[in-house]
Coordinates of all heavy atoms in Angstrom, one line a residue:
M605 N 5.9 -0.9 46.9 CA 5.6 -0.2 48.2 C 5.2 1.2 47.9 O 5.9 1.9 47.2 CB 6.9 -0.2 49.1 CG 6.6 0.2 50.4 SD 8.1 -0.1 51.4 CE 7.9 1.1 52.6
T606 N 4.1 1.6 48.5 CA 3.6 3.0 48.3 C 4.0 3.9 49.5 O 4.1 3.4 50.6 CB 2.1 3.0 48.1 OG1 1.5 2.5 49.3 CG2 1.7 2.2 47.0
A607 N 4.3 5.1 49.2 CA 4.6 6.0 50.3 C 3.4 6.4 51.1 O 2.3 6.6 50.5 CB 5.3 7.3 49.8
D608 N 3.5 6.5 52.4 CA 2.4 6.9 53.3 C 2.2 8.5 53.1 O 3.2 9.2 53.4 CB 2.7 6.6 54.7 CG 1.6 7.0 55.6 OD1 0.5 7.3 55.2 OD2 1.8 7.0 56.9
R609 N 1.1 8.9 52.7 CA 0.9 10.3 52.4 C 0.0 10.9 53.5 O -0.6 12.0 53.3 CB 0.2 10.6 51.1 CG 1.1 10.1 49.9 CD 0.6 10.5 48.6 NE 1.4 10.0 47.5 CZ 2.3 10.8 46.9 NH1 2.5 12.0 47.3 NH2 3.0 10.3 46.0
T610 N 0.0 10.3 54.7 CA -0.8 10.9 55.8 C 0.0 12.0 56.4 O 1.3 11.9 56.7 CB -1.0 9.8 56.9 OG1 -1.5 8.7 56.3 CG2 -1.8 10.3 58.0
P611 N -0.6 13.2 56.6 CA 0.2 14.3 57.2 C 0.5 14.0 58.6 O -0.1 13.2 59.3 CB -0.8 15.5 57.1 CG -2.2 14.9 56.9 CD -2.0 13.5 56.3
P612 N 1.6 14.6 59.1 CA 2.0 14.3 60.5 C 1.0 14.9 61.5 O 0.3 15.8 61.1 CB 3.4 15.1 60.6 CG 3.3 16.1 59.5 CD 2.5 15.5 58.4
S613 N 1.0 14.3 62.6 CA 0.1 14.7 63.7 C 0.6 16.0 64.3 O 1.7 16.3 64.2 CB -0.2 13.6 64.7 OG 1.1 13.4 65.4
G614 N -0.3 16.7 65.0 CA 0.1 17.9 65.6 C -0.6 19.1 65.0 O -1.6 19.0 64.2
P615 N -0.2 20.4 65.2 CA -0.9 21.5 64.7 C -0.8 21.5 63.2 O 0.2 21.2 62.6 CB -0.1 22.7 65.2 CG 0.6 22.2 66.4 CD 0.8 20.7 66.2
K616 N -2.0 21.7 62.6 CA -2.0 21.6 61.1 C -2.6 22.9 60.5 O -3.4 23.5 61.2 CB -2.9 20.4 60.7 CG -2.4 19.1 61.1 CD -3.4 18.0 60.7 CE -3.1 16.8 61.5 NZ -4.1 15.8 61.4
S617 N -2.3 23.1 59.4 CA -3.0 24.2 58.6 C -3.8 23.5 57.5 O -3.4 22.5 57.0 CB -2.0 25.2 58.0 OG -1.2 24.6 57.0
T618 N -4.9 24.2 57.2 CA -5.7 23.6 56.2 C -5.4 24.4 54.9 O -5.5 25.6 54.8 CB -7.2 23.8 56.5 OG1 -7.4 23.1 57.7 CG2 -8.1 23.2 55.5
R619 N -5.0 23.7 53.8 CA -4.8 24.3 52.5 C -6.1 24.5 51.8 O -7.0 23.7 51.8 CB -3.9 23.4 51.6 CG -2.5 23.0 52.2 CD -1.5 24.1 52.0 NE -1.6 24.9 50.8 CZ -0.7 24.7 49.7 NH1 0.2 23.8 49.7 NH2 -0.8 25.5 48.7
I620 N -6.3 25.7 51.3 CA -7.5 26.1 50.6 C -7.2 26.1 49.1 O -6.3 26.8 48.7 CB -8.0 27.4 51.1 CG1 -8.2 27.3 52.6 CG2 -9.3 27.8 50.4 CD1 -8.5 28.7 53.2
Q621 N -7.9 25.3 48.4 CA -7.7 25.2 46.9 C -8.0 26.5 46.3 O -9.0 27.2 46.6 CB -8.5 24.1 46.3 CG -8.2 22.7 46.8 CD -6.8 22.3 46.4 OE1 -6.2 22.7 45.4 NE2 -6.1 21.5 47.3
G622 N -7.2 26.9 45.3 CA -7.4 28.2 44.5 C -6.9 29.5 45.2 O -7.1 30.5 44.6
I623 N -6.4 29.4 46.4 CA -5.8 30.5 47.1 C -4.3 30.4 47.2 O -3.9 29.4 47.6 CB -6.5 30.7 48.5 CG1 -8.0 30.9 48.3 CG2 -5.8 31.9 49.2 CD1 -8.7 31.1 49.6
P624 N -3.6 31.4 46.7 CA -2.1 31.2 46.8 C -1.6 30.9 48.2 O -2.3 31.4 49.2 CB -1.6 32.6 46.3 CG -2.7 33.2 45.6 CD -4.0 32.7 46.2
R625 N -0.6 30.2 48.3 CA -0.1 29.8 49.6 C 0.2 31.0 50.6 O -0.1 30.9 51.8 CB 1.2 29.0 49.5 CG 1.8 28.5 50.8 CD 3.0 27.7 50.6 NE 3.0 26.8 51.6 CZ 3.3 25.5 51.5 NH1 3.6 24.9 50.4 NH2 3.3 24.7 52.6
C626 N 0.7 32.1 50.0 CA 1.0 33.2 50.8 C -0.2 33.9 51.4 O -0.1 34.6 52.3 CB 1.9 34.3 50.1 SG 1.0 35.1 48.8
R627 N -1.4 33.6 50.8 CA -2.6 34.2 51.3 C -3.3 33.3 52.4 O -4.3 33.7 52.9 CB -3.6 34.4 50.1 CG -3.1 35.3 49.0 CD -3.2 36.7 49.3 NE -4.6 37.1 49.5 CZ -4.9 38.3 49.9 NH1 -4.0 39.2 50.2 NH2 -6.1 38.7 50.1
Q628 N -2.8 32.1 52.6 CA -3.3 31.2 53.5 C -2.6 31.4 54.9 O -1.6 30.9 55.2 CB -3.2 29.8 53.1 CG -3.9 29.5 51.8 CD -3.8 28.1 51.3 OE1 -3.5 27.2 52.0 NE2 -4.0 27.9 50.0
V629 N -3.3 32.2 55.7 CA -2.7 32.6 57.0 C -3.1 31.6 58.1 O -4.2 31.2 58.2 CB -3.2 34.0 57.4 CG1 -2.6 34.4 58.8 CG2 -2.9 35.0 56.3
I630 N -2.1 31.1 58.8 CA -2.3 30.3 59.9 C -2.4 31.2 61.1 O -1.6 32.0 61.4 CB -1.1 29.3 60.1 CG1 -0.9 28.4 58.9 CG2 -1.3 28.4 61.4 CD1 0.4 27.7 58.9
R631 N -3.5 31.0 61.8 CA -3.8 31.9 62.9 C -3.6 31.2 64.2 O -4.3 30.3 64.5 CB -5.3 32.5 62.9 CG -5.5 33.2 61.6 CD -6.6 34.2 61.7 NE -6.8 34.9 60.4 CZ -6.2 36.0 60.0 NH1 -5.4 36.5 60.9 NH2 -6.4 36.5 58.9
W632 N -2.6 31.6 65.0 CA -2.3 31.0 66.3 C -2.3 32.1 67.3 O -1.3 32.3 68.1 CB -0.9 30.4 66.2 CG -0.8 29.1 65.4 CD1 -1.8 28.2 65.3 CD2 0.3 28.7 64.6 NE1 -1.4 27.2 64.5 CE2 -0.1 27.4 64.1 CE3 1.6 29.2 64.4 CZ2 0.8 26.7 63.3 CZ3 2.4 28.4 63.6 CH2 2.0 27.2 63.1
G633 N -3.3 32.8 67.4 CA -3.5 33.8 68.4 C -2.5 34.9 68.4 O -2.3 35.6 67.5
S634 N -1.7 35.0 69.5 CA -0.8 36.1 69.7 C 0.4 36.0 68.7 O 1.0 37.0 68.4 CB -0.3 36.2 71.1 OG 0.5 35.0 71.4
V635 N 0.6 34.9 68.2 CA 1.8 34.7 67.2 C 1.5 35.6 66.0 O 2.3 36.3 65.5 CB 2.0 33.3 66.9 CG1 3.0 33.2 65.7 CG2 2.5 32.5 68.0
V636 N 0.2 35.6 65.5 CA -0.2 36.3 64.4 C -0.2 37.8 64.8 O 0.3 38.6 64.0 CB -1.6 35.9 63.9 CG1 -2.1 36.8 62.8 CG2 -1.5 34.4 63.3
S637 N -0.6 38.1 66.0 CA -0.6 39.5 66.4 C 0.8 40.1 66.4 O 1.0 41.2 65.9 CB -1.2 39.7 67.8 OG -2.6 39.4 67.7
V638 N 1.8 39.3 66.9 CA 3.2 39.8 66.9 C 3.7 39.9 65.5 O 4.4 40.9 65.2 CB 4.0 38.8 67.8 CG1 5.5 39.2 67.6 CG2 3.6 38.9 69.2
F639 N 3.4 39.0 64.7 CA 3.8 39.0 63.3 C 3.2 40.3 62.6 O 3.9 41.0 61.9 CB 3.5 37.8 62.5 CG 3.8 37.9 61.0 CD1 5.0 37.7 60.6 CD2 2.8 38.1 60.1 CE1 5.3 37.8 59.2 CE2 3.0 38.2 58.8 CZ 4.3 38.0 58.3
A640 N 1.9 40.4 62.8 CA 1.2 41.6 62.2 C 1.8 42.9 62.6 O 2.0 43.8 61.8 CB -0.3 41.5 62.4
E641 N 2.1 43.0 63.9 CA 2.6 44.3 64.4 C 4.1 44.5 63.8 O 4.4 45.6 63.5 CB 2.7 44.2 65.9 CG 3.3 45.5 66.6 CD 2.6 46.8 66.1 OE1 1.4 46.7 65.7 OE2 3.3 47.8 66.1
A642 N 4.8 43.4 63.7 CA 6.2 43.5 63.1 C 6.0 44.0 61.7 O 6.9 44.9 61.2 CB 6.9 42.2 63.2
M643 N 5.1 43.5 60.9 CA 4.9 44.0 59.5 C 4.4 45.5 59.5 O 4.9 46.2 58.7 CB 3.8 43.1 58.8 CG 4.2 41.7 58.5 SD 5.7 41.6 57.5 CE 5.3 42.7 56.1
R644 N 3.5 45.8 60.4 CA 3.1 47.2 60.5 C 4.3 48.2 60.9 O 4.4 49.2 60.3 CB 2.0 47.4 61.6 CG 0.7 46.8 61.1 CD -0.4 47.1 62.1 NE -1.6 46.3 61.8 CZ -1.9 45.2 62.5 NH1 -1.2 44.8 63.5 NH2 -2.9 44.5 62.1
Q645 N 5.1 47.7 61.8 CA 6.3 48.5 62.1 C 7.3 48.6 61.0 O 7.8 49.7 60.7 CB 7.0 47.9 63.3 CG 8.2 48.7 63.8 CD 7.7 50.1 64.3 OE1 6.8 50.2 65.1 NE2 8.4 51.2 63.9
R646 N 7.4 47.6 60.2 CA 8.3 47.6 59.0 C 7.7 48.7 58.0 O 8.5 49.4 57.4 CB 8.4 46.3 58.4 CG 9.3 46.2 57.2 CD 9.5 44.8 56.7 NE 10.3 44.9 55.4 CZ 10.5 43.9 54.6 NH1 10.0 42.7 54.9 NH2 11.2 44.0 53.5
V647 N 6.4 48.7 57.8 CA 5.8 49.7 56.9 C 6.0 51.1 57.5 O 6.4 52.0 56.7 CB 4.3 49.3 56.7 CG1 3.6 50.5 56.0 CG2 4.2 48.1 55.9
R648 N 5.8 51.3 58.8 CA 6.0 52.6 59.4 C 7.4 53.1 59.2 O 7.7 54.2 58.8 CB 5.6 52.6 60.9 CG 4.1 52.6 61.1 CD 3.8 52.8 62.5 NE 4.3 51.7 63.4 CZ 3.5 50.7 63.8 NH1 2.3 50.6 63.4 NH2 4.0 49.8 64.6
D649 N 8.4 52.2 59.5 CA 9.8 52.5 59.3 C 10.1 52.9 57.9 O 10.9 53.8 57.6 CB 10.7 51.4 59.8 CG 10.6 51.1 61.3 OD1 10.1 52.0 62.0 OD2 11.0 50.1 61.7
A650 N 9.6 52.1 56.9 CA 9.9 52.4 55.5 C 9.2 53.8 55.1 O 9.9 54.5 54.4 CB 9.3 51.3 54.7
R651 N 8.1 54.1 55.6 CA 7.5 55.3 55.3 C 8.3 56.5 55.9 O 8.5 57.6 55.2 CB 6.1 55.3 55.8 CG 5.1 54.6 55.0 CD 3.7 54.5 55.5 NE 2.7 53.8 54.7 CZ 1.6 53.3 55.0 NH1 1.2 53.4 56.3 NH2 0.8 52.7 54.2
A652 N 8.8 56.3 57.1 CA 9.6 57.4 57.7 C 10.9 57.6 57.0 O 11.3 58.7 56.8 CB 9.8 57.0 59.2
A653 N 11.5 56.4 56.6 CA 12.8 56.6 55.8 C 12.5 57.3 54.5 O 13.4 58.1 54.1 CB 13.3 55.2 55.6
L654 N 11.4 57.0 53.8 CA 11.1 57.6 52.5 C 10.9 59.2 52.7 O 11.4 59.9 52.0 CB 9.9 56.9 51.9 CG 9.5 57.5 50.6 CD1 10.6 57.5 49.6 CD2 8.2 56.8 50.0
A655 N 10.1 59.5 53.8 CA 9.9 60.9 54.1 C 11.2 61.7 54.4 O 11.4 62.8 53.9 CB 8.9 61.0 55.2
A656 N 12.1 61.0 55.2 CA 13.4 61.6 55.5 C 14.3 61.8 54.3 O 14.9 62.9 54.1 CB 14.0 60.8 56.6
A657 N 14.3 60.8 53.4 CA 15.1 60.9 52.2 C 14.6 61.9 51.3 O 15.4 62.7 50.7 CB 15.1 59.5 51.5
R658 N 13.3 62.0 51.2 CA 12.7 63.1 50.3 C 13.0 64.5 50.9 O 13.3 65.4 50.1 CB 11.2 62.8 50.1 CG 10.9 61.7 49.2 CD 9.4 61.5 49.0 NE 9.2 60.5 48.0 CZ 8.0 59.9 47.9 NH1 7.0 60.3 48.6 NH2 7.8 58.9 46.9
A659 N 12.9 64.6 52.2 CA 13.1 65.9 52.8 C 14.6 66.3 52.7 O 14.9 67.5 52.5 CB 12.7 65.8 54.3
A660 N 15.5 65.3 52.7 CA 16.9 65.6 52.5 C 17.3 65.8 51.0 O 18.4 66.2 50.7 CB 17.7 64.5 53.1
G661 N 16.4 65.5 50.2 CA 16.7 65.6 48.7 C 17.6 64.6 48.2 O 18.3 64.8 47.2
D662 N 17.7 63.5 48.9 CA 18.6 62.4 48.5 C 17.9 61.4 47.6 O 17.1 60.5 48.1 CB 19.1 61.7 49.8 CG 20.2 60.7 49.5 OD1 20.3 60.1 48.3 OD2 21.0 60.4 50.4
A663 N 18.1 61.5 46.3 CA 17.4 60.6 45.4 C 17.7 59.1 45.5 O 16.8 58.3 45.4 CB 17.7 61.1 43.9
Y664 N 18.9 58.8 45.8 CA 19.3 57.4 46.0 C 18.6 56.8 47.2 O 18.0 55.7 47.1 CB 20.8 57.2 46.1 CG 21.2 55.8 46.4 CD1 21.2 54.9 45.4 CD2 21.6 55.4 47.6 CE1 21.6 53.5 45.6 CE2 21.9 54.1 47.9 CZ 21.9 53.2 46.9 OH 22.2 51.9 47.2
E665 N 18.7 57.5 48.3 CA 18.0 57.0 49.6 C 16.6 56.9 49.4 O 15.9 56.0 49.9 CB 18.4 57.9 50.8 CG 19.8 57.6 51.3 CD 20.0 56.1 51.7 OE1 19.1 55.5 52.4 OE2 21.1 55.6 51.4
A666 N 16.0 57.8 48.7 CA 14.5 57.8 48.4 C 14.2 56.6 47.5 O 13.1 55.9 47.8 CB 14.1 59.1 47.7
A667 N 15.0 56.3 46.6 CA 14.7 55.1 45.7 C 14.8 53.8 46.6 O 14.0 52.9 46.5 CB 15.6 55.0 44.6
V668 N 15.8 53.7 47.4 CA 16.0 52.6 48.3 C 14.8 52.4 49.3 O 14.2 51.4 49.5 CB 17.3 52.7 49.1 CG1 17.4 51.6 50.2 CG2 18.5 52.5 48.1
A669 N 14.4 53.6 49.9 CA 13.3 53.6 50.8 C 12.0 53.3 50.1 O 11.1 52.5 50.7 CB 13.2 54.9 51.5
E670 N 11.8 53.7 48.9 CA 10.6 53.4 48.1 C 10.5 51.9 47.8 O 9.5 51.3 48.0 CB 10.6 54.1 46.7 CG 9.4 54.9 46.4 CD 9.6 55.7 45.2 OE1 9.9 55.2 44.1 OE2 9.4 57.0 45.3
D671 N 11.7 51.3 47.5 CA 11.7 49.8 47.3 C 11.3 49.1 48.5 O 10.6 48.1 48.5 CB 13.1 49.4 46.7 CG 13.3 49.7 45.3 OD1 12.3 50.1 44.6 OD2 14.5 49.7 44.9
E672 N 11.9 49.5 49.7 CA 11.6 48.9 51.0 C 10.1 49.0 51.3 O 9.5 48.0 51.8 CB 12.5 49.5 52.1 CG 12.1 49.0 53.4 CD 12.2 47.5 53.7 OE1 12.9 46.8 52.9 OE2 11.6 47.0 54.7
L673 N 9.5 50.2 51.1 CA 8.1 50.4 51.3 C 7.3 49.5 50.5 O 6.4 48.8 50.9 CB 7.7 51.8 51.2 CG 6.3 52.2 51.4 CD1 5.8 51.8 52.8 CD2 6.0 53.6 51.1
E674 N 7.6 49.4 49.2 CA 6.8 48.5 48.3 C 6.9 47.1 48.7 O 6.0 46.3 48.7 CB 7.3 48.6 46.8 CG 6.9 49.9 46.2 CD 7.6 50.2 44.8 OE1 8.3 49.2 44.3 OE2 7.4 51.3 44.3
D675 N 8.1 46.6 49.1 CA 8.3 45.3 49.6 C 7.5 45.0 50.9 O 6.9 43.9 51.0 CB 9.8 45.0 49.8 CG 10.1 43.5 50.0 OD1 9.5 42.7 49.3 OD2 10.9 43.2 50.9
A676 N 7.6 45.9 51.8 CA 6.9 45.8 53.1 C 5.4 45.7 52.9 O 4.6 44.9 53.4 CB 7.2 46.9 54.1
L677 N 4.8 46.6 52.0 CA 3.4 46.6 51.7 C 3.0 45.3 51.0 O 1.9 44.7 51.3 CB 3.1 47.8 50.9 CG 3.1 49.1 51.6 CD1 2.9 50.3 50.6 CD2 2.0 49.2 52.7
R678 N 3.8 44.8 50.0 CA 3.5 43.6 49.4 C 3.4 42.4 50.3 O 2.5 41.6 50.3 CB 4.6 43.2 48.3 CG 4.4 41.9 47.5 CD 5.6 41.6 46.6 NE 6.8 41.5 47.4 CZ 7.2 40.4 48.0 NH1 6.4 39.4 48.1 NH2 8.3 40.3 48.7
L679 N 4.4 42.3 51.2 CA 4.4 41.2 52.2 C 3.2 41.3 53.2 O 2.6 40.3 53.5 CB 5.7 41.2 53.1 CG 6.9 40.7 52.3 CD1 8.2 40.9 53.1 CD2 6.7 39.2 52.0
A680 N 2.9 42.5 53.6 CA 1.7 42.7 54.5 C 0.4 42.3 53.8 O -0.4 41.5 54.3 CB 1.6 44.2 54.9
R681 N 0.3 42.6 52.5 CA -0.9 42.2 51.7 C -0.9 40.7 51.6 O -2.0 40.1 51.7 CB -0.9 42.9 50.4 CG -1.4 44.3 50.4 CD -1.7 44.9 48.9 NE -0.5 44.7 48.1 CZ 0.4 45.6 47.9 NH1 0.3 46.8 48.6 NH2 1.4 45.5 47.1
C682 N 0.2 40.1 51.3 CA 0.3 38.7 51.1 C -0.1 37.9 52.3 O -0.7 36.8 52.2 CB 1.7 38.4 50.7 SG 1.9 36.7 50.1
H683 N 0.2 38.5 53.5 CA -0.2 37.8 54.7 C -1.5 38.3 55.3 O -1.8 38.0 56.5 CB 1.0 37.9 55.7 CG 2.1 37.1 55.2 ND1 2.2 35.7 55.3 CD2 3.3 37.5 54.6 CE1 3.3 35.3 54.9 NE2 4.0 36.3 54.4
G684 N -2.2 39.1 54.6 CA -3.5 39.6 55.1 C -3.4 40.6 56.3 O -4.3 40.7 57.1
V685 N -2.3 41.4 56.3 CA -2.1 42.3 57.4 C -2.4 43.8 56.8 O -1.9 44.1 55.8 CB -0.6 42.3 57.9 CG1 -0.4 43.5 58.9 CG2 -0.3 41.0 58.5
D686 N -3.3 44.5 57.5 CA -3.6 45.8 57.1 C -2.6 46.7 57.8 O -2.5 46.9 59.0 CB -5.0 46.2 57.7 CG -5.3 47.7 57.3 OD1 -4.6 48.4 56.7 OD2 -6.5 48.1 57.7
P687 N -1.7 47.4 57.0 CA -0.6 48.1 57.6 C -1.0 49.4 58.3 O -0.3 50.0 59.1 CB 0.3 48.5 56.4 CG -0.6 48.4 55.2 CD -1.6 47.3 55.6
D688 N -2.3 49.9 58.1 CA -2.7 51.1 58.7 C -3.7 50.8 59.9 O -4.1 51.7 60.5 CB -3.5 51.9 57.6 CG -2.5 52.4 56.5 OD1 -1.4 52.8 56.8 OD2 -2.9 52.3 55.3
E689 N -3.9 49.6 60.2 CA -4.7 49.2 61.3 C -4.0 49.5 62.6 O -2.8 49.2 62.7 CB -5.1 47.7 61.3 CG -6.0 47.2 62.3 CD -6.3 45.7 62.1 OE1 -6.7 45.3 61.1 OE2 -6.1 45.0 63.1
P690 N -4.7 50.0 63.6 CA -4.0 50.3 64.9 C -3.5 49.0 65.6 O -4.2 48.0 65.4 CB -5.1 51.0 65.8 CG -6.2 51.2 64.9 CD -6.0 50.5 63.6
S691 N -2.5 49.1 66.3 CA -1.9 47.9 66.9 C -2.7 47.5 68.1 O -3.1 48.2 69.0 CB -0.5 48.3 67.4 OG 0.0 47.2 68.2
P692 N -3.0 46.1 68.1 CA -3.8 45.6 69.3 C -2.8 45.3 70.5 O -3.2 45.0 71.5 CB -4.4 44.3 68.8 CG -3.4 43.9 67.8 CD -2.9 45.1 67.1
L693 N -1.5 45.4 70.2 CA -0.5 45.1 71.2 C -0.1 46.3 72.0 O 0.0 47.4 71.5 CB 0.7 44.5 70.6 CG 0.5 43.2 69.8 CD1 1.8 42.8 69.1 CD2 0.0 42.1 70.6
P694 N 0.1 46.2 73.3 CA 0.6 47.4 74.1 C 2.0 47.8 73.6 O 2.8 46.9 73.3 CB 0.6 46.8 75.5 CG 0.7 45.3 75.4 CD 0.0 45.0 74.1
R695 N 2.2 49.0 73.6 CA 3.6 49.5 73.2 C 4.5 49.8 74.4 O 4.0 50.1 75.5 CB 3.4 50.7 72.4 CG 2.9 50.3 71.0 CD 3.0 51.6 70.1 NE 2.5 51.2 68.9 CZ 2.9 51.6 67.7 NH1 3.9 52.5 67.7 NH2 2.4 51.2 66.6

């Protein structure tokens, strides 16, 4: 007996050969906008925390904030989000 390899019905994403999975963004209108804005906010928060830690002269907090900023930027790039793009969502 062979397994049925038919994908389930319903909303589907198309896998693109040769592109890493994290670069394959599923676009569902406002869901992506909300996600992108959350990523931008995470980057803004990390940048603010890094600036505050540097201003306070706290080397440990600066290192933690630097790691958070690098992680936030990596995730934004991985999902095709420009962290410096203005928000399309009302604040």
Side-chain angles (χ1 to χ4, degrees):
M605 185 171 155
T606 61
D608 181 17
R609 295 188 185 262
T610 306
S613 62
K616 300 175 195 170
S617 66
T618 303
R619 298 282 320 258
I620 302 169
Q621 296 298 327
I623 296 178
R625 181 179 210 133
C626 72
R627 302 282 297 173
Q628 298 180 25
V629 178
I630 300 169
R631 300 202 181 272
W632 289 327
S634 64
V635 173
V636 172
S637 294
V638 171
F639 173 79
E641 181 53 28
M643 289 303 307
R644 288 184 192 102
Q645 186 61 50
R646 182 174 174 189
V647 170
R648 284 191 295 267
D649 292 346
R651 285 177 174 159
L654 180 57
R658 286 180 175 166
D662 189 335
Y664 176 76
E665 284 299 319
V668 169
E670 230 172 60
D671 287 344
E672 171 61 17
L673 178 57
E674 287 174 8
D675 191 46
L677 290 170
R678 179 188 59 80
L679 285 172
R681 279 191 305 268
C682 187
H683 291 285
V685 175
D686 179 1
D688 298 315
E689 183 178 309
S691 173
L693 300 178
R695 288 187 180 218

